[in-house]
Amino acid sequence: SWGGAFPKAEIVGLDLSPYMLAVASVSDQGVEGSERRTWVHGKGEDTKYSDATFDIVSLAFVIHECPENATAALMKEAHRVLKPGGTFVMTDNNPQSPVIQKLPPALFTLMKSTEPHSNEYYTIDVQQMLTNAGFENVHQEQTDPRHRTVCGSKKM
C-alpha cells in the first residue's frame, strides 16, 4: 500500500462518487495510516486544490470511464496540481494488449454496454495527451496481460 511504502505521506483520495468514497472510508477505518488519508468528493477535472499541491497524482481505472474531453481535462488538472518534478501515473486497460485485441466481438460489445466511453478510450493516444498537457518523460509499461501503466513528470 502507499501508506506502507511512504509511511509519512499524506494521501488524498478524490472521487466523483459519494458511494465509492463511503466504501473507501469504511474500508479504511482502523487500518494503519488511515489518519493520514482523506477522502474527498469532487471532480478530477476541477479539484479546487491550489497549484503545485501534490507530489504524485495517480489514476486507477478512471480514464476508460471518461469521454475524451474529460480525459484531457483530468490530465491538465493533474499537471496543474502537481509540484514541479511531480509524477503522474495512471493504470487502465491497454487497448494494444493481445488479450483486449482478441476479445470476441460479442464480448467486446457486451463490455461496451456498461462502459459508454470505451470507444473513445480505445482510440485516444494517452501518451500524446499527457505530452499535450505539459508532461515530459512520458512512457508506458505493460502492467499485466490486459493493463498498462502510463507515467509522466512535471518539469522541475
Side-chain angles (χ1 to χ4, degrees):
S1 79
W2 287 89
F6 303 96
K8 295 183 181 179
E10 293 182 29
I11 300 169
V12 174
L14 182 131
D15 202 295
L16 190 57
S17 167
Y19 171 77
M20 292 310 298
L21 289 165
V23 170
S25 181
V26 168
S27 299
D28 201 26
Q29 289 177 359
V31 175
E32 183 179 351
S34 62
E35 70 280 356
R36 294 181 286 106
R37 289 185 285 276
T38 305
W39 305 103
V40 177
H41 181 246
K43 289 177 62 176
E45 307 96 298
D46 184 19
T47 65
K48 308 295 185 209
Y49 285 97
S50 300
D51 293 358
T53 298
F54 298 104
D55 296 305
I56 299 171
V57 171
S58 174
L59 303 177
F61 301 99
V62 171
I63 304 262
H64 78 272
E65 300 284 355
C66 302
E68 186 173 350
N69 63 336
T71 299
L74 279 166
M75 293 175 180
K76 183 177 177 183
E77 180 69 355
H79 190 269
R80 184 187 71 76
V81 299
L82 274 172
K83 294 177 183 176
T87 299
F88 172 89
V89 59
M90 63 150 278
T91 298
D92 213 317
N93 299 327
N94 184 356
Q96 290 82 36
S97 83
V99 173
I100 300 284
Q101 292 290 316
K102 293 178 183 176
L103 280 176
L107 184 56
F108 194 71
T109 300
L110 179 63
M111 188 173 74
K112 288 192 308 184
S113 71
T114 63
E115 305 289 352
H117 303 292
S118 61
N119 278 345
E120 289 175 79
Y121 174 74
Y122 286 110
T123 60
I124 62 174
D125 183 340
V126 170
Q127 294 180 72
Q128 186 60 54
M129 290 180 87
L130 282 170
T131 300
N132 293 348
F135 289 95
E136 57 184 23
N137 306 313
V138 175
H139 64 282
Q140 174 177 304
E141 299 291 333
Q142 188 71 25
T143 310
D144 64 33
R146 286 187 326 150
H147 304 106
R148 65 179 172 178
T149 298
V150 184
C151 300
S153 56
K154 184 172 181 177
K155 190 173 184 174
M156 289 294 288

